[in-house]
PDB file of all heavy atoms in Angstrom:
ATOM      1  N   GLN X   1      -4.438  -1.438  -2.135  1.00 85.00           N
ATOM      2  CA  GLN X   1      -4.944  -1.369  -0.734  1.00 85.00           C
ATOM      3  C   GLN X   1      -5.024  -2.750  -0.107  1.00 85.00           C
ATOM      4  O   GLN X   1      -4.572  -2.999   1.055  1.00 85.00           O
ATOM      5  CB  GLN X   1      -6.326  -0.746  -0.734  1.00 85.00           C
ATOM      6  CG  GLN X   1      -6.896  -0.458   0.677  1.00 85.00           C
ATOM      7  CD  GLN X   1      -8.223   0.241   0.613  1.00 85.00           C
ATOM      8  OE1 GLN X   1      -8.995   0.052  -0.308  1.00 85.00           O
ATOM      9  NE2 GLN X   1      -8.454   1.147   1.545  1.00 85.00           N
ATOM     10  N   GLU X   2      -5.454  -3.735  -0.871  1.00 84.00           N
ATOM     11  CA  GLU X   2      -5.548  -5.123  -0.376  1.00 84.00           C
ATOM     12  C   GLU X   2      -4.186  -5.690  -0.126  1.00 84.00           C
ATOM     13  O   GLU X   2      -3.946  -6.325   0.907  1.00 84.00           O
ATOM     14  CB  GLU X   2      -6.274  -5.982  -1.428  1.00 84.00           C
ATOM     15  CG  GLU X   2      -6.330  -7.444  -1.076  1.00 84.00           C
ATOM     16  CD  GLU X   2      -6.873  -8.300  -2.220  1.00 84.00           C
ATOM     17  OE1 GLU X   2      -7.531  -7.763  -3.101  1.00 84.00           O
ATOM     18  OE2 GLU X   2      -6.539  -9.499  -2.242  1.00 84.00           O
ATOM     19  N   ARG X   3      -3.227  -5.455  -1.022  1.00 80.00           N
ATOM     20  CA  ARG X   3      -1.887  -5.970  -0.850  1.00 80.00           C
ATOM     21  C   ARG X   3      -1.154  -5.333   0.284  1.00 80.00           C
ATOM     22  O   ARG X   3      -0.393  -5.991   1.030  1.00 80.00           O
ATOM     23  CB  ARG X   3      -1.089  -5.779  -2.163  1.00 80.00           C
ATOM     24  CG  ARG X   3      -1.590  -6.574  -3.354  1.00 80.00           C
ATOM     25  CD  ARG X   3      -1.566  -8.071  -3.065  1.00 80.00           C
ATOM     26  NE  ARG X   3      -2.784  -8.563  -2.517  1.00 80.00           N
ATOM     27  CZ  ARG X   3      -2.957  -9.766  -1.977  1.00 80.00           C
ATOM     28  NH1 ARG X   3      -1.957 -10.566  -1.920  1.00 80.00           N
ATOM     29  NH2 ARG X   3      -4.080 -10.129  -1.487  1.00 80.00           N
ATOM     30  N   VAL X   4      -1.312  -4.039   0.526  1.00 84.00           N
ATOM     31  CA  VAL X   4      -0.663  -3.383   1.662  1.00 84.00           C
ATOM     32  C   VAL X   4      -1.285  -3.892   2.981  1.00 84.00           C
ATOM     33  O   VAL X   4      -0.538  -4.163   3.917  1.00 84.00           O
ATOM     34  CB  VAL X   4      -0.861  -1.811   1.530  1.00 84.00           C
ATOM     35  CG1 VAL X   4      -0.315  -1.146   2.829  1.00 84.00           C
ATOM     36  CG2 VAL X   4      -0.127  -1.310   0.350  1.00 84.00           C
ATOM     37  N   ALA X   5      -2.582  -4.069   2.974  1.00 86.00           N
ATOM     38  CA  ALA X   5      -3.247  -4.606   4.174  1.00 86.00           C
ATOM     39  C   ALA X   5      -2.721  -6.033   4.521  1.00 86.00           C
ATOM     40  O   ALA X   5      -2.644  -6.436   5.647  1.00 86.00           O
ATOM     41  CB  ALA X   5      -4.713  -4.623   3.996  1.00 86.00           C
ATOM     42  N   TYR X   6      -2.349  -6.765   3.463  1.00 85.00           N
ATOM     43  CA  TYR X   6      -1.828  -8.142   3.614  1.00 85.00           C
ATOM     44  C   TYR X   6      -0.553  -8.145   4.431  1.00 85.00           C
ATOM     45  O   TYR X   6      -0.168  -9.168   5.031  1.00 85.00           O
ATOM     46  CB  TYR X   6      -1.562  -8.675   2.180  1.00 85.00           C
ATOM     47  CG  TYR X   6      -1.070 -10.096   2.069  1.00 85.00           C
ATOM     48  CD1 TYR X   6      -1.974 -11.143   2.089  1.00 85.00           C
ATOM     49  CD2 TYR X   6       0.308 -10.338   1.908  1.00 85.00           C
ATOM     50  CE1 TYR X   6      -1.494 -12.461   1.933  1.00 85.00           C
ATOM     51  CE2 TYR X   6       0.718 -11.659   1.756  1.00 85.00           C
ATOM     52  CZ  TYR X   6      -0.130 -12.716   1.799  1.00 85.00           C
ATOM     53  OH  TYR X   6       0.285 -13.986   1.629  1.00 85.00           O
ATOM     54  N   THR X   7       0.137  -7.010   4.517  1.00 90.00           N
ATOM     55  CA  THR X   7       1.368  -6.901   5.248  1.00 90.00           C
ATOM     56  C   THR X   7       1.143  -7.081   6.765  1.00 90.00           C
ATOM     57  O   THR X   7       1.994  -7.487   7.503  1.00 90.00           O
ATOM     58  CB  THR X   7       2.044  -5.573   4.983  1.00 90.00           C
ATOM     59  OG1 THR X   7       2.269  -5.453   3.572  1.00 90.00           O
ATOM     60  CG2 THR X   7       3.401  -5.452   5.737  1.00 90.00           C
ATOM     61  N   PHE X   8      -0.046  -6.719   7.225  1.00 93.00           N
ATOM     62  CA  PHE X   8      -0.360  -6.615   8.646  1.00 93.00           C
ATOM     63  C   PHE X   8      -1.367  -7.644   9.047  1.00 93.00           C
ATOM     64  O   PHE X   8      -2.225  -8.084   8.254  1.00 93.00           O
ATOM     65  CB  PHE X   8      -0.833  -5.206   8.966  1.00 93.00           C
ATOM     66  CG  PHE X   8       0.067  -4.122   8.580  1.00 93.00           C
ATOM     67  CD1 PHE X   8      -0.200  -3.356   7.427  1.00 93.00           C
ATOM     68  CD2 PHE X   8       1.206  -3.840   9.304  1.00 93.00           C
ATOM     69  CE1 PHE X   8       0.676  -2.365   7.031  1.00 93.00           C
ATOM     70  CE2 PHE X   8       2.066  -2.834   8.907  1.00 93.00           C
ATOM     71  CZ  PHE X   8       1.768  -2.084   7.779  1.00 93.00           C
ATOM     72  N   TYR X   9      -1.338  -8.009  10.330  1.00 94.00           N
ATOM     73  CA  TYR X   9      -2.430  -8.861  10.891  1.00 94.00           C
ATOM     74  C   TYR X   9      -3.707  -8.011  10.983  1.00 94.00           C
ATOM     75  O   TYR X   9      -4.797  -8.529  10.641  1.00 94.00           O
ATOM     76  CB  TYR X   9      -2.003  -9.307  12.285  1.00 94.00           C
ATOM     77  CG  TYR X   9      -3.110 -10.059  13.009  1.00 94.00           C
ATOM     78  CD1 TYR X   9      -3.418 -11.394  12.686  1.00 94.00           C
ATOM     79  CD2 TYR X   9      -3.836  -9.408  13.979  1.00 94.00           C
ATOM     80  CE1 TYR X   9      -4.412 -12.078  13.360  1.00 94.00           C
ATOM     81  CE2 TYR X   9      -4.902 -10.078  14.639  1.00 94.00           C
ATOM     82  CZ  TYR X   9      -5.181 -11.404  14.358  1.00 94.00           C
ATOM     83  OH  TYR X   9      -6.176 -12.087  14.973  1.00 94.00           O
ATOM     84  N   ASP X  10      -3.627  -6.820  11.477  1.00 93.00           N
ATOM     85  CA  ASP X  10      -4.728  -5.944  11.562  1.00 93.00           C
ATOM     86  C   ASP X  10      -4.746  -5.011  10.329  1.00 93.00           C
ATOM     87  O   ASP X  10      -3.882  -4.146  10.201  1.00 93.00           O
ATOM     88  CB  ASP X  10      -4.678  -5.066  12.828  1.00 93.00           C
ATOM     89  CG  ASP X  10      -5.831  -4.082  12.968  1.00 93.00           C
ATOM     90  OD1 ASP X  10      -6.720  -4.062  12.081  1.00 93.00           O
ATOM     91  OD2 ASP X  10      -5.865  -3.364  13.964  1.00 93.00           O
ATOM     92  N   PRO X  11      -5.646  -5.182   9.362  1.00 86.00           N
ATOM     93  CA  PRO X  11      -5.641  -4.407   8.142  1.00 86.00           C
ATOM     94  C   PRO X  11      -5.776  -2.905   8.362  1.00 86.00           C
ATOM     95  O   PRO X  11      -5.432  -2.126   7.526  1.00 86.00           O
ATOM     96  CB  PRO X  11      -6.824  -4.935   7.335  1.00 86.00           C
ATOM     97  CG  PRO X  11      -7.694  -5.648   8.298  1.00 86.00           C
ATOM     98  CD  PRO X  11      -6.764  -6.133   9.402  1.00 86.00           C
ATOM     99  N   HIS X  12      -6.296  -2.535   9.520  1.00 87.00           N
ATOM    100  CA  HIS X  12      -6.450  -1.102   9.837  1.00 87.00           C
ATOM    101  C   HIS X  12      -5.140  -0.360  10.004  1.00 87.00           C
ATOM    102  O   HIS X  12      -5.079   0.867   9.916  1.00 87.00           O
ATOM    103  CB  HIS X  12      -7.295  -0.910  11.099  1.00 87.00           C
ATOM    104  CG  HIS X  12      -8.789  -1.334  10.924  1.00 87.00           C
ATOM    105  ND1 HIS X  12      -9.209  -2.555  11.321  1.00 87.00           N
ATOM    106  CD2 HIS X  12      -9.811  -0.720  10.322  1.00 87.00           C
ATOM    107  CE1 HIS X  12     -10.485  -2.686  11.050  1.00 87.00           C
ATOM    108  NE2 HIS X  12     -10.898  -1.555  10.432  1.00 87.00           N
ATOM    109  N   VAL X  13      -4.093  -1.143  10.226  1.00 88.00           N
ATOM    110  CA  VAL X  13      -2.754  -0.492  10.288  1.00 88.00           C
ATOM    111  C   VAL X  13      -2.336   0.037   8.951  1.00 88.00           C
ATOM    112  O   VAL X  13      -1.509   1.011   8.875  1.00 88.00           O
ATOM    113  CB  VAL X  13      -1.717  -1.524  10.817  1.00 88.00           C
ATOM    114  CG1 VAL X  13      -0.298  -0.936  10.861  1.00 88.00           C
ATOM    115  CG2 VAL X  13      -2.086  -2.040  12.179  1.00 88.00           C
ATOM    116  N   ALA X  14      -2.914  -0.504   7.870  1.00 84.00           N
ATOM    117  CA  ALA X  14      -2.660   0.018   6.522  1.00 84.00           C
ATOM    118  C   ALA X  14      -3.478   1.274   6.319  1.00 84.00           C
ATOM    119  O   ALA X  14      -4.532   1.260   5.692  1.00 84.00           O
ATOM    120  CB  ALA X  14      -2.990  -1.038   5.458  1.00 84.00           C
ATOM    121  N   THR X  15      -2.990   2.382   6.858  1.00 88.00           N
ATOM    122  CA  THR X  15      -3.708   3.643   6.763  1.00 88.00           C
ATOM    123  C   THR X  15      -3.789   4.157   5.298  1.00 88.00           C
ATOM    124  O   THR X  15      -3.085   3.698   4.434  1.00 88.00           O
ATOM    125  CB  THR X  15      -2.976   4.719   7.586  1.00 88.00           C
ATOM    126  OG1 THR X  15      -1.631   4.923   7.043  1.00 88.00           O
ATOM    127  CG2 THR X  15      -2.865   4.281   9.042  1.00 88.00           C
ATOM    128  N   LYS X  16      -4.709   5.071   5.100  1.00 90.00           N
ATOM    129  CA  LYS X  16      -4.845   5.670   3.763  1.00 90.00           C
ATOM    130  C   LYS X  16      -3.563   6.299   3.316  1.00 90.00           C
ATOM    131  O   LYS X  16      -3.162   6.200   2.131  1.00 90.00           O
ATOM    132  CB  LYS X  16      -5.987   6.655   3.749  1.00 90.00           C
ATOM    133  CG  LYS X  16      -6.293   7.209   2.321  1.00 90.00           C
ATOM    134  CD  LYS X  16      -7.442   8.164   2.319  1.00 90.00           C
ATOM    135  CE  LYS X  16      -7.801   8.648   0.925  1.00 90.00           C
ATOM    136  NZ  LYS X  16      -6.656   9.243   0.226  1.00 90.00           N
ATOM    137  N   ASP X  17      -2.880   6.981   4.181  1.00 87.00           N
ATOM    138  CA  ASP X  17      -1.565   7.605   3.828  1.00 87.00           C
ATOM    139  C   ASP X  17      -0.592   6.552   3.349  1.00 87.00           C
ATOM    140  O   ASP X  17       0.159   6.793   2.337  1.00 87.00           O
ATOM    141  CB  ASP X  17      -1.002   8.377   5.009  1.00 87.00           C
ATOM    142  CG  ASP X  17      -1.754   9.666   5.333  1.00 87.00           C
ATOM    143  OD1 ASP X  17      -2.489  10.107   4.437  1.00 87.00           O
ATOM    144  OD2 ASP X  17      -1.558  10.226   6.421  1.00 87.00           O
ATOM    145  N   LEU X  18      -0.552   5.424   4.026  1.00 87.00           N
ATOM    146  CA  LEU X  18       0.433   4.371   3.650  1.00 87.00           C
ATOM    147  C   LEU X  18       0.016   3.764   2.313  1.00 87.00           C
ATOM    148  O   LEU X  18       0.858   3.548   1.436  1.00 87.00           O
ATOM    149  CB  LEU X  18       0.421   3.286   4.717  1.00 87.00           C
ATOM    150  CG  LEU X  18       1.410   2.146   4.556  1.00 87.00           C
ATOM    151  CD1 LEU X  18       2.824   2.659   4.491  1.00 87.00           C
ATOM    152  CD2 LEU X  18       1.233   1.151   5.697  1.00 87.00           C
ATOM    153  N   VAL X  19      -1.254   3.498   2.094  1.00 88.00           N
ATOM    154  CA  VAL X  19      -1.724   2.960   0.819  1.00 88.00           C
ATOM    155  C   VAL X  19      -1.477   4.004  -0.319  1.00 88.00           C
ATOM    156  O   VAL X  19      -1.013   3.593  -1.407  1.00 88.00           O
ATOM    157  CB  VAL X  19      -3.232   2.610   0.908  1.00 88.00           C
ATOM    158  CG1 VAL X  19      -3.762   2.162  -0.447  1.00 88.00           C
ATOM    159  CG2 VAL X  19      -3.454   1.507   1.951  1.00 88.00           C
ATOM    160  N   ASP X  20      -1.751   5.225  -0.051  1.00 88.00           N
ATOM    161  CA  ASP X  20      -1.554   6.263  -1.053  1.00 88.00           C
ATOM    162  C   ASP X  20      -0.061   6.335  -1.511  1.00 88.00           C
ATOM    163  O   ASP X  20       0.240   6.462  -2.682  1.00 88.00           O
ATOM    164  CB  ASP X  20      -1.928   7.634  -0.537  1.00 88.00           C
ATOM    165  CG  ASP X  20      -3.440   7.847  -0.435  1.00 88.00           C
ATOM    166  OD1 ASP X  20      -4.155   6.994  -0.985  1.00 88.00           O
ATOM    167  OD2 ASP X  20      -3.899   8.812   0.196  1.00 88.00           O
ATOM    168  N   GLU X  21       0.862   6.170  -0.474  1.00 84.00           N
ATOM    169  CA  GLU X  21       2.243   6.209  -0.766  1.00 84.00           C
ATOM    170  C   GLU X  21       2.652   5.087  -1.699  1.00 84.00           C
ATOM    171  O   GLU X  21       3.370   5.280  -2.691  1.00 84.00           O
ATOM    172  CB  GLU X  21       3.068   6.154   0.486  1.00 84.00           C
ATOM    173  CG  GLU X  21       4.557   6.279   0.320  1.00 84.00           C
ATOM    174  CD  GLU X  21       5.333   6.295   1.630  1.00 84.00           C
ATOM    175  OE1 GLU X  21       4.659   6.476   2.698  1.00 84.00           O
ATOM    176  OE2 GLU X  21       6.521   6.111   1.635  1.00 84.00           O
ATOM    177  N   VAL X  22       2.192   3.868  -1.410  1.00 84.00           N
ATOM    178  CA  VAL X  22       2.531   2.698  -2.249  1.00 84.00           C
ATOM    179  C   VAL X  22       1.853   2.816  -3.620  1.00 84.00           C
ATOM    180  O   VAL X  22       2.489   2.518  -4.664  1.00 84.00           O
ATOM    181  CB  VAL X  22       2.111   1.391  -1.552  1.00 84.00           C
ATOM    182  CG1 VAL X  22       2.345   0.199  -2.499  1.00 84.00           C
ATOM    183  CG2 VAL X  22       2.876   1.187  -0.242  1.00 84.00           C
ATOM    184  N   PHE X  23       0.637   3.296  -3.653  1.00 86.00           N
ATOM    185  CA  PHE X  23      -0.063   3.509  -4.909  1.00 86.00           C
ATOM    186  C   PHE X  23       0.665   4.431  -5.815  1.00 86.00           C
ATOM    187  O   PHE X  23       0.855   4.166  -7.036  1.00 86.00           O
ATOM    188  CB  PHE X  23      -1.476   4.024  -4.635  1.00 86.00           C
ATOM    189  CG  PHE X  23      -2.331   4.242  -5.870  1.00 86.00           C
ATOM    190  CD1 PHE X  23      -2.806   3.164  -6.593  1.00 86.00           C
ATOM    191  CD2 PHE X  23      -2.541   5.545  -6.331  1.00 86.00           C
ATOM    192  CE1 PHE X  23      -3.593   3.349  -7.714  1.00 86.00           C
ATOM    193  CE2 PHE X  23      -3.330   5.738  -7.459  1.00 86.00           C
ATOM    194  CZ  PHE X  23      -3.842   4.671  -8.172  1.00 86.00           C
ATOM    195  N   ASN X  24       1.166   5.525  -5.241  1.00 85.00           N
ATOM    196  CA  ASN X  24       1.930   6.520  -6.087  1.00 85.00           C
ATOM    197  C   ASN X  24       3.216   5.932  -6.579  1.00 85.00           C
ATOM    198  O   ASN X  24       3.641   6.155  -7.681  1.00 85.00           O
ATOM    199  CB  ASN X  24       2.182   7.760  -5.250  1.00 85.00           C
ATOM    200  CG  ASN X  24       0.963   8.564  -4.947  1.00 85.00           C
ATOM    201  OD1 ASN X  24      -0.029   8.543  -5.739  1.00 85.00           O
ATOM    202  ND2 ASN X  24       0.959   9.292  -3.868  1.00 85.00           N
ATOM    203  N   VAL X  25       3.894   5.081  -5.798  1.00 81.00           N
ATOM    204  CA  VAL X  25       5.105   4.449  -6.182  1.00 81.00           C
ATOM    205  C   VAL X  25       4.828   3.492  -7.356  1.00 81.00           C
ATOM    206  O   VAL X  25       5.580   3.495  -8.343  1.00 81.00           O
ATOM    207  CB  VAL X  25       5.759   3.646  -5.003  1.00 81.00           C
ATOM    208  CG1 VAL X  25       6.834   2.764  -5.508  1.00 81.00           C
ATOM    209  CG2 VAL X  25       6.281   4.602  -3.942  1.00 81.00           C
ATOM    210  N   THR X  26       3.755   2.693  -7.237  1.00 80.00           N
ATOM    211  CA  THR X  26       3.545   1.697  -8.298  1.00 80.00           C
ATOM    212  C   THR X  26       3.028   2.336  -9.599  1.00 80.00           C
ATOM    213  O   THR X  26       2.948   1.633 -10.611  1.00 80.00           O
ATOM    214  CB  THR X  26       2.488   0.665  -7.783  1.00 80.00           C
ATOM    215  OG1 THR X  26       1.277   1.320  -7.477  1.00 80.00           O
ATOM    216  CG2 THR X  26       2.996  -0.088  -6.559  1.00 80.00           C
ATOM    217  N   ASN X  27       2.685   3.617  -9.565  1.00 83.00           N
ATOM    218  CA  ASN X  27       2.272   4.280 -10.802  1.00 83.00           C
ATOM    219  C   ASN X  27       3.390   4.988 -11.494  1.00 83.00           C
ATOM    220  O   ASN X  27       3.157   5.739 -12.470  1.00 83.00           O
ATOM    221  CB  ASN X  27       1.118   5.270 -10.490  1.00 83.00           C
ATOM    222  CG  ASN X  27      -0.229   4.582 -10.489  1.00 83.00           C
ATOM    223  OD1 ASN X  27      -0.406   3.626 -11.165  1.00 83.00           O
ATOM    224  ND2 ASN X  27      -1.137   5.068  -9.668  1.00 83.00           N
ATOM    225  N   SER X  28       4.602   4.792 -11.016  1.00 84.00           N
ATOM    226  CA  SER X  28       5.779   5.386 -11.640  1.00 84.00           C
ATOM    227  C   SER X  28       6.616   4.259 -12.312  1.00 84.00           C
ATOM    228  O   SER X  28       7.067   3.386 -11.640  1.00 84.00           O
ATOM    229  CB  SER X  28       6.684   6.120 -10.587  1.00 84.00           C
ATOM    230  OG  SER X  28       7.945   6.363 -11.079  1.00 84.00           O
ATOM    231  N   ASN X  29       6.774   4.360 -13.634  1.00 84.00           N
ATOM    232  CA  ASN X  29       7.520   3.349 -14.347  1.00 84.00           C
ATOM    233  C   ASN X  29       8.935   3.261 -13.817  1.00 84.00           C
ATOM    234  O   ASN X  29       9.480   2.178 -13.602  1.00 84.00           O
ATOM    235  CB  ASN X  29       7.565   3.669 -15.809  1.00 84.00           C
ATOM    236  CG  ASN X  29       6.323   3.256 -16.524  1.00 84.00           C
ATOM    237  OD1 ASN X  29       5.587   2.350 -16.137  1.00 84.00           O
ATOM    238  ND2 ASN X  29       6.005   3.894 -17.670  1.00 84.00           N
ATOM    239  N   ALA X  30       9.579   4.414 -13.569  1.00 86.00           N
ATOM    240  CA  ALA X  30      10.961   4.406 -13.146  1.00 86.00           C
ATOM    241  C   ALA X  30      11.121   3.736 -11.761  1.00 86.00           C
ATOM    242  O   ALA X  30      12.038   2.951 -11.538  1.00 86.00           O
ATOM    243  CB  ALA X  30      11.498   5.848 -13.068  1.00 86.00           C
ATOM    244  N   LYS X  31      10.184   4.026 -10.852  1.00 86.00           N
ATOM    245  CA  LYS X  31      10.266   3.437  -9.512  1.00 86.00           C
ATOM    246  C   LYS X  31       9.965   1.913  -9.615  1.00 86.00           C
ATOM    247  O   LYS X  31      10.643   1.150  -8.931  1.00 86.00           O
ATOM    248  CB  LYS X  31       9.257   4.151  -8.575  1.00 86.00           C
ATOM    249  CG  LYS X  31       9.674   5.602  -8.271  1.00 86.00           C
ATOM    250  CD  LYS X  31       8.670   6.268  -7.354  1.00 86.00           C
ATOM    251  CE  LYS X  31       9.121   7.659  -7.043  1.00 86.00           C
ATOM    252  NZ  LYS X  31       8.122   8.365  -6.146  1.00 86.00           N
ATOM    253  N   CYS X  32       9.002   1.554 -10.402  1.00 84.00           N
ATOM    254  CA  CYS X  32       8.656   0.155 -10.574  1.00 84.00           C
ATOM    255  C   CYS X  32       9.824  -0.650 -11.061  1.00 84.00           C
ATOM    256  O   CYS X  32      10.033  -1.817 -10.617  1.00 84.00           O
ATOM    257  CB  CYS X  32       7.463  -0.017 -11.459  1.00 84.00           C
ATOM    258  SG  CYS X  32       5.869   0.238 -10.675  1.00 84.00           S
ATOM    259  N   LEU X  33      10.551  -0.128 -12.000  1.00 88.00           N
ATOM    260  CA  LEU X  33      11.723  -0.841 -12.553  1.00 88.00           C
ATOM    261  C   LEU X  33      12.720  -1.121 -11.462  1.00 88.00           C
ATOM    262  O   LEU X  33      13.322  -2.209 -11.420  1.00 88.00           O
ATOM    263  CB  LEU X  33      12.355  -0.036 -13.669  1.00 88.00           C
ATOM    264  CG  LEU X  33      11.628  -0.028 -15.030  1.00 88.00           C
ATOM    265  CD1 LEU X  33      12.283   0.924 -15.986  1.00 88.00           C
ATOM    266  CD2 LEU X  33      11.573  -1.441 -15.621  1.00 88.00           C
TER     267      LEU X  33
END
């Protein structure tokens, strides 16, 4: 959540849906590779 918010000037642009999407990606070994 912190790293996704780092993408934006306004951290509120990093919505829960957006954070959830990145979180799910980073929990997949195949996707991370």
Side-chain angles (χ1 to χ4, degrees):
Q1 186 176 36
E2 176 189 338
R3 294 299 90 193
V4 174
Y6 182 84
T7 303
F8 305 101
Y9 173 79
D10 179 0
H12 293 98
V13 179
T15 63
K16 186 178 184 303
D17 286 345
L18 184 58
V19 175
D20 287 349
E21 183 177 346
V22 175
F23 180 74
N24 291 332
V25 167
T26 60
N27 275 329
S28 164
N29 280 334
K31 291 179 180 179
C32 278
L33 285 173

